[in-house]
Amino acid sequence: MADQTNESGGEGPRLLEHEYDGIREYDNPMPGWWLLTFAGTVIFSVIYLFNVGPVGNGKGRIADYEAEMATAAALQPATPSRPAAAALLAMASDEEAVEEGEEVYQSYCASCHGPDGGGLIGPNLADANWIHGGSPDSVYNTIAVGVLAKGMPPWEKSLTPKQMSEVTAYVLSLRGTSPTNPKPPEGEPYTP
Amino acid sequence: MSATVLPPSGAVASARLESFSYDDDIVRKFLWATFIWGLVGMLVGLWIALQLANPIFNTSLEWLSFGRLRPLHTNAVIFAFAGNAFFCGAYYSTQRLLKARMFSDFLSRFHFWGWQAIIVAAAITLPLGFTQAKEYAELEWPIDIAIAVVWVGFAINFVGTMLRRRERHLYVALWFYIASIVTVAILHIFNNLSMPAGLFKSYSIYAGVQDAFMQWWYGHNAVAFFLTTPFLGLMYYFMPKAADGPVFSYKLSILHFWSLVFLYIWAGPHHLHYTALPEWASTVGMLFSVMLWAPSWGGMINGLLTLRGAWHKVADDPILKFFVLAITAYGMSTFEGPLLSIKSVNSLAHYTDWIIAHVHTGALGWNGFLTFGMVYWLLPRLFQTPVYSKRLMELHFWIASFGILLYVVAIYSAGVTQGLMWRAFDATGRLAYPDFVETVVRLLPMYWLRVAGGSMYIIGMLLFGWNIFMTWRRRPATYVVPVITAPALEKRYVPEVVTTPRPVGVWARFAAAGWHRTWERMPITFTVLTVLAVVVASLFEILPTFLIKSNVPTIASVKPYTPLELAGRDMYIAEGCFNCHSQMIRPFRHETERFGEYSKPGESVYEHPFLWGSRRIGPDLARIGGKYPHLWHVRHFNEPTSITARSIMPAYPHFLTKTIDFEEIQSRVDAMAMLGVPYGDAVNRAPQMAREQATEIAAEIERQGGPSDLADKQIVAMVAYMQRLGMDIKAIPTTVGVRP
Ligand code: HEM
């Protein structure tokens, strides 16, 4: 190294001769662990870049994604089981189930169907008319798969089967109630 | 290793002695600006923190909503607070390290006033919604030009001072200043290239994947060369000054300087993991980030070990306390940075508050505390009177430290909580939290803790300001301006006389770093070498990104936005919606289940600028089109809580009352067409086309039971844009990996 002296004359770090506005610098070597860390990250990077062993991109992010989806699909039944119409009807007169259903309704459905089912963006759910059928199975099915093109979202993926049945029960229980600001009926009348 | 060089005594004796003085007035100016903008920027930070905790703080004034104020916060703290702090310390130390007054007093003042004017312009235009929508590069093109001009003035002043120096060699602090000045200029100019479409409106000349790449090449290096290297330079001057001891290792300085400058430039793509950016770029970004760990820690080691043998001083010197915490925070965030760059870690942290916690460890700890320590050290020297109160300094240190702790602990836990909630599936294979808002309201207690932590930090700022003010009040009637005498540099370098044998062997000679010593006395060469390091590294990534066609496979069904949709998109930009909503679905099951098919590079080819976003305070919007009826959007923008009771989104009732400037749409379409977007017929009749589409949408809204007077209102443009998002790709047969 250029221009260095050893302040204490022997032991201790060497102080370089130069000085800038009173600031001096030692000629200490770079810490060994630091150099090793640096070298380690460089080596890791090379290994990763060339996909050596388990280190690296592997097959890449899209292949990983497809594998993830395939695994999940294998674990799920092809057709989700649907509750029977009778069970839904029974639930519609079960106070507790309807109450649970109302809670789901208020958080997810009221924004479009109105807080009392009278209809808003979506149709009136309290009248006798149905666009997609008023039988318990049809109602369940509409809620499950939605009518995306018309602005009704599908709910099967976000609600649990229990919540699905409960909210269906609640919708069925609305029949014959009189909402404050009802939308005119749409679709065909349905008589149970 | 053993060569000893004596000072060139003969040279000194023969040199002409010159008298000069330092310009400390400019340093005082920057010091005041640092404090004032720091306080303003942090108060805005506190305000937006409140807005996230409770949306009523968005007020009913459209200028004050989160999307418009967040960029104001980031610009103010980065460019105004940290920027002025850097200039303050750089003007003080550069003159002394070079034994020369600044090259031009005029340029110094031009820099100061120009910079403050730019900040004021930012503070006015950002709330008005004038933005380029690129993070930390939001300011519109006229201001960008002003920044470039002022920055060049600064650079000339700096280089001029180096050329007039009376100190032969450049100290390490100056290397860092050089790197910062040249790199910021390069980054700023190339990222901001844009096509004006009016006085305060422009579109990035890059689109989609390439724009994203350029933006984060810039954005990451704004952190690197605006918040890191300048402050390392400051550390190298003020730390040994305050500690009154030598710097730990000169060799370490050399290696960590060059490795930082070279490696940093590559790291940008780590902001874009799992996006539509090509995977090779993402991998390169990750690896260079990992390799940055040690070079970053080189700075920390050199800073902390400068205290070797002086640790006892820390106990009763608050300035050293500030420095120690600053350097520790630097070490923490530069360890965390590489960690966050690792793809698997990033997949959890990206889009969440984790990133915000990371940023603020660095910002509040490293930048803030280094600034505080530096300013306290400068106060008695600049105002020529002892600091008003050391106890207030101590108090500032402790209250701000606890403030940081509260802030980051709360926000780290918010980030991890939300990241885990997003990816959780229940036993039946459903998303455990399908309702996005549930993952938001869970964070609210943490957001309140941040408000508390931020407030403590700001109380610290007030103590800081009080101490500055009171010290200033006790200044002498007129400042003493010491006259310095120093020998002028010889025209030619007179080599130092070597009395001991040169080291033997190539490696030994290389390790002795004599070659670097040579560079240190050639400021222009040094600057050119730095530019080379930065430019070469940049080109390695930029060229392939732009030239390899397969990076962005085209999708035939992707078409430009209609004129009305484009107007809606401009509103989305002006409101800063991208500050909370991403438009980039990553290829993960939990994301595609929640938001739909993952985003493809080809979908963004007309996106000038790209709007992928980097935060998900609200849900992703890449495929929002067709998900809800028009009326849903109308009601939602008017009052989000009427749709989702616990939503924290600001309301935009002005969309329903303000009218669209249809004629203006033509200039927007024209600018896009100039950038190569195939607009066809729209270049002649954009306003008419927009009116037609607006009428259709308004009619549909009315049909759905909505208000009847919306055909010329901004809401229809916004609805048009929303309904278009993600739709193009649905027009093609499903590709591999797309689930029916
Ligand atoms: C009292 C002090 C501060 C408070 C309360 C505060 C608060 C905030 C808030 C609420 C955000 C938005 C978070 C989000 O989008 O989720 C934010 C972002 C940000 N703040 Fe601060 N901040 C403070 C100080 C600072 C300082 C001193 C700096 C820099 C020197 C800074 C740099 C940033 C940056 C760069 C971002 C954007 C981060 C990103 O996009 O990843 N902040 N801050």
Side-chain angles (χ1 to χ4, degrees), chain B residues 2 34 137 192 196 205 207 249 320 387 511 529 585 599 607 627-628 659-660 688 715 719:
Chain B
S2 50
T34 304
N192 281 299
I205 64 163
S249 168
L320 287 180
V387 173
L529 287 169
I585 303 166
S599 303
E607 294 281 319
K627 190 167 172 193
Y628 302 114
T659 51
I660 303 173
Q688 192 189 336
I715 185 78
V719 169

PDB file of all heavy atoms in Angstrom, chain B residues 2 34 137 192 196 205 207 249 320 387 511 529 585 599 607 627-628 659-660 688 715 719:
ATOM      1  N   SER B   2       4.181  -2.885   1.523  1.00  0.00           N
ATOM      2  CA  SER B   2       5.156  -2.281   2.415  1.00  0.00           C
ATOM      3  C   SER B   2       5.764  -0.998   1.856  1.00  0.00           C
ATOM      4  O   SER B   2       6.638  -0.425   2.465  1.00  0.00           O
ATOM      5  CB  SER B   2       6.264  -3.294   2.692  1.00  0.00           C
ATOM      6  OG  SER B   2       6.701  -3.814   1.450  1.00  0.00           O
ATOM      7  N   THR B  34     -34.015  21.199   4.661  1.00  0.00           N
ATOM      8  CA  THR B  34     -34.114  19.801   5.099  1.00  0.00           C
ATOM      9  C   THR B  34     -35.150  19.668   6.199  1.00  0.00           C
ATOM     10  O   THR B  34     -36.036  18.814   6.150  1.00  0.00           O
ATOM     11  CB  THR B  34     -32.746  19.322   5.640  1.00  0.00           C
ATOM     12  OG1 THR B  34     -31.768  19.517   4.644  1.00  0.00           O
ATOM     13  CG2 THR B  34     -32.811  17.866   6.043  1.00  0.00           C
ATOM     14  N   ALA B 137     -41.404   8.878  -9.884  1.00  0.00           N
ATOM     15  CA  ALA B 137     -41.195   9.662 -11.108  1.00  0.00           C
ATOM     16  C   ALA B 137     -42.557  10.193 -11.525  1.00  0.00           C
ATOM     17  O   ALA B 137     -42.883  10.227 -12.695  1.00  0.00           O
ATOM     18  CB  ALA B 137     -40.578   8.801 -12.199  1.00  0.00           C
ATOM     19  N   ASN B 192     -37.901   8.987 -17.669  1.00  0.00           N
ATOM     20  CA  ASN B 192     -38.964   9.972 -17.832  1.00  0.00           C
ATOM     21  C   ASN B 192     -39.266  10.334 -19.279  1.00  0.00           C
ATOM     22  O   ASN B 192     -40.076  11.216 -19.534  1.00  0.00           O
ATOM     23  CB  ASN B 192     -38.638  11.248 -17.055  1.00  0.00           C
ATOM     24  CG  ASN B 192     -38.924  11.078 -15.576  1.00  0.00           C
ATOM     25  OD1 ASN B 192     -40.056  10.824 -15.193  1.00  0.00           O
ATOM     26  ND2 ASN B 192     -37.906  11.174 -14.751  1.00  0.00           N
ATOM     27  N   PRO B 196     -45.622  14.258 -24.613  1.00  0.00           N
ATOM     28  CA  PRO B 196     -46.590  15.186 -24.022  1.00  0.00           C
ATOM     29  C   PRO B 196     -47.926  15.131 -24.764  1.00  0.00           C
ATOM     30  O   PRO B 196     -47.981  14.930 -25.970  1.00  0.00           O
ATOM     31  CB  PRO B 196     -45.941  16.552 -24.203  1.00  0.00           C
ATOM     32  CG  PRO B 196     -44.506  16.271 -24.431  1.00  0.00           C
ATOM     33  CD  PRO B 196     -44.439  14.953 -25.116  1.00  0.00           C
ATOM     34  N   ILE B 205     -42.946   6.854 -23.097  1.00  0.00           N
ATOM     35  CA  ILE B 205     -42.732   6.335 -24.450  1.00  0.00           C
ATOM     36  C   ILE B 205     -42.638   4.814 -24.438  1.00  0.00           C
ATOM     37  O   ILE B 205     -42.769   4.181 -25.469  1.00  0.00           O
ATOM     38  CB  ILE B 205     -41.470   6.918 -25.129  1.00  0.00           C
ATOM     39  CG1 ILE B 205     -40.208   6.489 -24.373  1.00  0.00           C
ATOM     40  CG2 ILE B 205     -41.533   8.421 -25.243  1.00  0.00           C
ATOM     41  CD1 ILE B 205     -38.961   6.681 -25.225  1.00  0.00           C
ATOM     42  N   ALA B 207     -43.955   0.995 -23.163  1.00  0.00           N
ATOM     43  CA  ALA B 207     -45.248   0.418 -22.818  1.00  0.00           C
ATOM     44  C   ALA B 207     -45.066  -0.912 -22.100  1.00  0.00           C
ATOM     45  O   ALA B 207     -44.066  -1.610 -22.304  1.00  0.00           O
ATOM     46  CB  ALA B 207     -46.083   0.203 -24.080  1.00  0.00           C
ATOM     47  N   SER B 249     -11.355   0.832   7.254  1.00  0.00           N
ATOM     48  CA  SER B 249     -10.532   0.192   6.223  1.00  0.00           C
ATOM     49  C   SER B 249     -10.691   0.848   4.852  1.00  0.00           C
ATOM     50  O   SER B 249     -11.764   0.840   4.261  1.00  0.00           O
ATOM     51  CB  SER B 249     -10.869  -1.295   6.116  1.00  0.00           C
ATOM     52  OG  SER B 249     -10.288  -1.843   4.947  1.00  0.00           O
ATOM     53  N   LEU B 320     -23.452  10.568  18.066  1.00  0.00           N
ATOM     54  CA  LEU B 320     -22.978   9.222  17.738  1.00  0.00           C
ATOM     55  C   LEU B 320     -24.110   8.206  17.857  1.00  0.00           C
ATOM     56  O   LEU B 320     -24.183   7.255  17.092  1.00  0.00           O
ATOM     57  CB  LEU B 320     -21.811   8.838  18.639  1.00  0.00           C
ATOM     58  CG  LEU B 320     -20.493   9.548  18.313  1.00  0.00           C
ATOM     59  CD1 LEU B 320     -19.395   9.089  19.260  1.00  0.00           C
ATOM     60  CD2 LEU B 320     -20.082   9.296  16.868  1.00  0.00           C
ATOM     61  N   VAL B 387     -24.773  24.101  20.528  1.00  0.00           N
ATOM     62  CA  VAL B 387     -26.136  23.637  20.316  1.00  0.00           C
ATOM     63  C   VAL B 387     -26.984  23.999  21.528  1.00  0.00           C
ATOM     64  O   VAL B 387     -26.526  23.889  22.674  1.00  0.00           O
ATOM     65  CB  VAL B 387     -26.166  22.118  20.082  1.00  0.00           C
ATOM     66  CG1 VAL B 387     -27.596  21.613  20.029  1.00  0.00           C
ATOM     67  CG2 VAL B 387     -25.442  21.774  18.809  1.00  0.00           C
ATOM     68  N   ALA B 511      -3.369  -5.775  -4.737  1.00  0.00           N
ATOM     69  CA  ALA B 511      -3.997  -5.647  -3.428  1.00  0.00           C
ATOM     70  C   ALA B 511      -3.529  -4.374  -2.731  1.00  0.00           C
ATOM     71  O   ALA B 511      -4.220  -3.825  -1.880  1.00  0.00           O
ATOM     72  CB  ALA B 511      -3.682  -6.869  -2.578  1.00  0.00           C
ATOM     73  N   LEU B 529     -15.253   6.397 -15.269  1.00  0.00           N
ATOM     74  CA  LEU B 529     -15.276   4.977 -14.899  1.00  0.00           C
ATOM     75  C   LEU B 529     -16.578   4.625 -14.178  1.00  0.00           C
ATOM     76  O   LEU B 529     -17.164   3.564 -14.402  1.00  0.00           O
ATOM     77  CB  LEU B 529     -14.081   4.653 -13.996  1.00  0.00           C
ATOM     78  CG  LEU B 529     -12.726   4.607 -14.706  1.00  0.00           C
ATOM     79  CD1 LEU B 529     -11.586   4.538 -13.690  1.00  0.00           C
ATOM     80  CD2 LEU B 529     -12.668   3.408 -15.649  1.00  0.00           C
ATOM     81  N   ILE B 585     -51.922  -9.945 -12.126  1.00  0.00           N
ATOM     82  CA  ILE B 585     -52.232 -11.162 -11.374  1.00  0.00           C
ATOM     83  C   ILE B 585     -51.084 -12.136 -11.557  1.00  0.00           C
ATOM     84  O   ILE B 585     -50.693 -12.454 -12.677  1.00  0.00           O
ATOM     85  CB  ILE B 585     -53.556 -11.772 -11.866  1.00  0.00           C
ATOM     86  CG1 ILE B 585     -54.669 -10.730 -11.729  1.00  0.00           C
ATOM     87  CG2 ILE B 585     -53.889 -13.041 -11.088  1.00  0.00           C
ATOM     88  CD1 ILE B 585     -55.918 -11.087 -12.486  1.00  0.00           C
ATOM     89  N   SER B 599     -51.917 -12.564 -15.438  1.00  0.00           N
ATOM     90  CA  SER B 599     -51.687 -11.557 -16.478  1.00  0.00           C
ATOM     91  C   SER B 599     -50.585 -11.983 -17.436  1.00  0.00           C
ATOM     92  O   SER B 599     -49.564 -12.529 -17.015  1.00  0.00           O
ATOM     93  CB  SER B 599     -51.312 -10.229 -15.836  1.00  0.00           C
ATOM     94  OG  SER B 599     -52.309  -9.828 -14.938  1.00  0.00           O
ATOM     95  N   GLU B 607     -50.065  -0.330 -22.963  1.00  0.00           N
ATOM     96  CA  GLU B 607     -50.101   0.328 -21.660  1.00  0.00           C
ATOM     97  C   GLU B 607     -48.969   1.350 -21.541  1.00  0.00           C
ATOM     98  O   GLU B 607     -47.886   1.049 -21.057  1.00  0.00           O
ATOM     99  CB  GLU B 607     -49.998  -0.708 -20.539  1.00  0.00           C
ATOM    100  CG  GLU B 607     -51.189  -1.639 -20.449  1.00  0.00           C
ATOM    101  CD  GLU B 607     -52.373  -0.989 -19.755  1.00  0.00           C
ATOM    102  OE1 GLU B 607     -52.176  -0.280 -18.757  1.00  0.00           O
ATOM    103  OE2 GLU B 607     -53.502  -1.188 -20.238  1.00  0.00           O
ATOM    104  N   LYS B 627     -67.232  -7.968 -14.402  1.00  0.00           N
ATOM    105  CA  LYS B 627     -67.511  -8.684 -13.160  1.00  0.00           C
ATOM    106  C   LYS B 627     -68.766  -8.147 -12.487  1.00  0.00           C
ATOM    107  O   LYS B 627     -69.499  -8.900 -11.838  1.00  0.00           O
ATOM    108  CB  LYS B 627     -66.297  -8.571 -12.233  1.00  0.00           C
ATOM    109  CG  LYS B 627     -66.370  -9.463 -11.021  1.00  0.00           C
ATOM    110  CD  LYS B 627     -65.023  -9.555 -10.322  1.00  0.00           C
ATOM    111  CE  LYS B 627     -65.159 -10.304  -9.006  1.00  0.00           C
ATOM    112  NZ  LYS B 627     -63.971 -10.151  -8.173  1.00  0.00           N
ATOM    113  N   TYR B 628     -68.986  -6.852 -12.602  1.00  0.00           N
ATOM    114  CA  TYR B 628     -70.150  -6.225 -11.981  1.00  0.00           C
ATOM    115  C   TYR B 628     -70.909  -5.408 -13.010  1.00  0.00           C
ATOM    116  O   TYR B 628     -70.337  -4.952 -13.995  1.00  0.00           O
ATOM    117  CB  TYR B 628     -69.724  -5.287 -10.849  1.00  0.00           C
ATOM    118  CG  TYR B 628     -68.933  -5.935  -9.764  1.00  0.00           C
ATOM    119  CD1 TYR B 628     -67.604  -5.589  -9.539  1.00  0.00           C
ATOM    120  CD2 TYR B 628     -69.518  -6.892  -8.944  1.00  0.00           C
ATOM    121  CE1 TYR B 628     -66.864  -6.184  -8.529  1.00  0.00           C
ATOM    122  CE2 TYR B 628     -68.786  -7.506  -7.926  1.00  0.00           C
ATOM    123  CZ  TYR B 628     -67.460  -7.150  -7.731  1.00  0.00           C
ATOM    124  OH  TYR B 628     -66.744  -7.737  -6.736  1.00  0.00           O
ATOM    125  N   THR B 659     -67.993  16.999 -15.526  1.00  0.00           N
ATOM    126  CA  THR B 659     -68.225  16.575 -16.904  1.00  0.00           C
ATOM    127  C   THR B 659     -66.920  16.186 -17.593  1.00  0.00           C
ATOM    128  O   THR B 659     -65.837  16.624 -17.213  1.00  0.00           O
ATOM    129  CB  THR B 659     -68.896  17.702 -17.715  1.00  0.00           C
ATOM    130  OG1 THR B 659     -68.125  18.884 -17.515  1.00  0.00           O
ATOM    131  CG2 THR B 659     -70.318  17.925 -17.261  1.00  0.00           C
ATOM    132  N   ILE B 660     -67.063  15.375 -18.605  1.00  0.00           N
ATOM    133  CA  ILE B 660     -65.907  14.946 -19.400  1.00  0.00           C
ATOM    134  C   ILE B 660     -65.576  16.044 -20.402  1.00  0.00           C
ATOM    135  O   ILE B 660     -66.476  16.608 -21.016  1.00  0.00           O
ATOM    136  CB  ILE B 660     -66.246  13.672 -20.198  1.00  0.00           C
ATOM    137  CG1 ILE B 660     -66.710  12.565 -19.265  1.00  0.00           C
ATOM    138  CG2 ILE B 660     -65.074  13.223 -21.049  1.00  0.00           C
ATOM    139  CD1 ILE B 660     -67.226  11.335 -19.999  1.00  0.00           C
ATOM    140  N   GLN B 688     -66.125  12.311 -30.907  1.00  0.00           N
ATOM    141  CA  GLN B 688     -67.415  11.770 -31.335  1.00  0.00           C
ATOM    142  C   GLN B 688     -67.577  10.322 -30.890  1.00  0.00           C
ATOM    143  O   GLN B 688     -68.624   9.919 -30.353  1.00  0.00           O
ATOM    144  CB  GLN B 688     -67.479  11.868 -32.856  1.00  0.00           C
ATOM    145  CG  GLN B 688     -68.844  11.608 -33.425  1.00  0.00           C
ATOM    146  CD  GLN B 688     -68.763  11.501 -34.939  1.00  0.00           C
ATOM    147  OE1 GLN B 688     -67.832  12.032 -35.556  1.00  0.00           O
ATOM    148  NE2 GLN B 688     -69.732  10.821 -35.537  1.00  0.00           N
ATOM    149  N   ILE B 715     -68.059   9.761 -14.657  1.00  0.00           N
ATOM    150  CA  ILE B 715     -68.279   8.389 -14.212  1.00  0.00           C
ATOM    151  C   ILE B 715     -68.391   7.420 -15.385  1.00  0.00           C
ATOM    152  O   ILE B 715     -67.911   6.288 -15.300  1.00  0.00           O
ATOM    153  CB  ILE B 715     -69.524   8.304 -13.296  1.00  0.00           C
ATOM    154  CG1 ILE B 715     -69.703   6.894 -12.716  1.00  0.00           C
ATOM    155  CG2 ILE B 715     -70.809   8.686 -14.043  1.00  0.00           C
ATOM    156  CD1 ILE B 715     -68.814   6.577 -11.600  1.00  0.00           C
ATOM    157  N   VAL B 719     -66.385   4.019 -15.807  1.00  0.00           N
ATOM    158  CA  VAL B 719     -67.062   2.727 -15.947  1.00  0.00           C
ATOM    159  C   VAL B 719     -66.584   2.043 -17.229  1.00  0.00           C
ATOM    160  O   VAL B 719     -66.288   0.843 -17.251  1.00  0.00           O
ATOM    161  CB  VAL B 719     -68.598   2.905 -15.944  1.00  0.00           C
ATOM    162  CG1 VAL B 719     -69.283   1.616 -16.365  1.00  0.00           C
ATOM    163  CG2 VAL B 719     -69.081   3.344 -14.576  1.00  0.00           C
TER     164      VAL B 719
END
